[in-house]
Amino acid sequence: GAVVSQHPSRVICKSGTSVKIECRSLDFQATTMFWYRQFPKQSLMLMATSNEGSKATYEQGVEKDKFLINHASLTLSTLTVTSAHPEDSSFYICSARGLLQPQHFGDGTRLSIL
Amino acid sequence: GENVEQHPSTLSVQEGDSAVIKCTYSDSASNYFPWYKQELGKRPQLIIDIRSNVGEKKDQRIAVTLNKTAKHFSLHITETQPEDSAVYFCENTGNQFYFGTGTSLTVIP
């Protein structure tokens, strides 16, 4: 079945570092990719929706200059957390979907900023 | 604005009982309604979905019902087991995409 690969699975870095997370759809072309953030024991919070070749649509309250999203192809989207600070520590998860298809989620990235 | 409301946010049931989670939407263009299950520490995964031309779909102990007139769809889990304990998310998609806020289900042995 469809698989979404997300890397890295875990990142620990110093405050001020920029971190890039990749999300790849391995055996299907994703018309749309989504980026979520999840705090412990809380729901998935949608951050942005990304369509190939166009600018991402950010949810209210999400800083687009802080969380840069690039959807360069139908199989790859990247999220870059720029100048990360401890409050950015969280679990970030991506998903990809085709038209009127369910989302296929990546395994997530645990980001820890020291 | 248009969105999807998911209830309840938490649900505890005794093993063997049924669990029902309901989502209410407002976008009349919605035509695809999947449900996802996220076990602790794992990715959400599709468990069942339904399209707007069908009123009910069943897969073993799991069923989804859709009422397009009332604009709500529900997940039904019968004969619940401890391994059903997880967070469940609804979604509806049409011209736009809407994701529910999740329901934490606990099945008590």
Side-chain angles (χ1 to χ4, degrees), chain B residues 39-91:
Chain B
E39 296 179 24
L40 189 63
K42 297 185 178 180
R43 69 174 82 183
Q45 291 191 302
L46 175 75
I47 53 171
I48 196 167
D49 58 4
I50 194 169
R51 299 188 187 275
S52 60
N53 58 344
V54 177
E56 182 175 0
K57 184 176 179 180
K58 190 173 182 180
D59 182 4
Q60 298 182 338
R61 296 187 297 107
I62 295 173
V64 56
T65 58
L66 171 63
N67 185 326
K68 288 200 71 179
T69 302
K71 292 184 182 175
H72 62 73
F73 56 111
S74 299
L75 176 70
H76 304 257
I77 306 174
T78 59
E79 301 173 31
T80 54
Q81 301 168 4
E83 51 265 38
D84 295 328
S85 297
V87 179
Y88 293 83
F89 298 93
C90 66
E91 179 195 322

Side-chain angles (χ1 to χ4, degrees), chain A residues 22-85:
Chain A
E22 288 191 352
C23 183
R24 293 181 184 271
S25 59
L26 297 184
D27 58 0
F28 71 103
Q29 292 186 328
T31 54
T32 308
M33 286 185 168
F34 304 92
W35 287 95
Y36 296 86
R37 182 172 180 175
Q38 188 171 36
F39 293 100
K41 297 184 179 181
Q42 294 190 26
S43 179
L44 291 171
M45 183 190 79
L46 180 65
M47 298 175 65
T49 302
S50 167
N51 293 296
E52 185 264 339
S54 62
K55 290 184 178 180
T57 301
Y58 289 82
E59 295 299 301
Q60 191 173 7
V62 179
E63 300 176 57
K64 60 182 180 181
D65 294 331
K66 175 74 172 176
F67 300 98
L68 299 178
I69 292 172
N70 182 273
H71 194 158
S73 74
L74 282 172
T75 60
L76 174 64
S77 177
T78 61
L79 168 67
T80 301
V81 183
T82 61
S83 187
H85 292 286

